[in-house]
Amino acid sequence: MKKTALLAAALALGSAAFAAGKFAANSEESAFLAENDRAMARMMDGMSVKPAGDVDHDFVQTMIPHHQGAIDMAQAELRHGRNEQLRRIAQEIVVEQQQEIVAMRLALGEPLPTPGPAPDQGGSASEPVRSATPGHHNHPQPTGTIIEESK
């Protein structure tokens, strides 16, 4: 009877993990899911702000972590994804969301953060980062760093 109960508990745990989106078929997927979960948790935590009594300020204070979460999730796709079309979309998300963060900060007269180093893309020195476009280098921007692009 103990083996049956243990097996039932293991199956229930596995079913719950699968239903919660935690089941991963391989280590690449496991790494992506863990990174994506961290990005979501940071985003949700960052969006929990105490109202300041200024709608515009409150809007920006909640939208910046929301946009940064999209950037973090897109960077996880760039590090772990293989679908070239989705990787190109992820690159666009990084650029567009950074531009919107800059625009919101400027609209409120807030200072822009200083640029930091590029993020580690999860590859090793012997494993180059895959480029989304053949013949082009992939340069996603660092998490939490805003860089203005010239037009």
Side-chain angles (χ1 to χ4, degrees):
M1 245 356 187
K2 280 189 169 186
K3 287 183 182 179
T4 305
L6 185 58
L7 180 59
L11 288 173
L13 181 60
S15 295
F18 182 79
K22 304 295 183 194
F23 182 80
N26 59 49
S27 62
E28 188 76 29
E29 185 177 12
S30 294
F32 168 78
L33 290 174
E35 192 172 333
N36 199 57
D37 284 350
R38 286 189 302 274
M40 289 287 292
R42 276 191 309 269
M43 178 183 72
M44 296 307 291
D45 185 52
M47 290 174 59
S48 298
V49 298
K50 183 177 178 182
D54 177 344
V55 171
D56 296 327
H57 179 267
D58 293 347
F59 171 72
V60 170
Q61 291 307 109
T62 57
M63 288 306 294
I64 287 176
H66 182 265
H67 282 33
Q68 186 61 52
I71 292 167
D72 295 344
M73 288 181 267
Q75 288 176 335
E77 168 64 18
L78 291 170
R79 279 188 279 279
H80 304 288
R82 300 213 185 281
N83 182 301
E84 294 304 320
Q85 184 177 4
L86 293 175
R87 290 173 49 75
R88 282 191 293 279
I89 291 168
Q91 286 178 323
E92 291 172 13
I93 288 169
V94 170
V95 171
E96 291 167 4
Q97 297 297 295
Q98 285 179 332
Q99 289 172 343
E100 288 188 15
I101 290 171
V102 167
M104 286 187 282
R105 287 183 189 254
L106 290 174
L108 290 183
E110 292 182 359
L112 300 179
T114 55
D120 174 19
Q121 294 186 336
S124 66
S126 63
E127 178 187 338
V129 174
R130 294 179 306 276
S131 174
T133 307
H136 290 81
H137 295 284
N138 178 12
H139 298 287
Q141 301 303 322
T143 301
T145 303
I146 309 304
I147 298 176
E148 288 189 74
E149 294 197 0
S150 58
K151 294 183 179 188

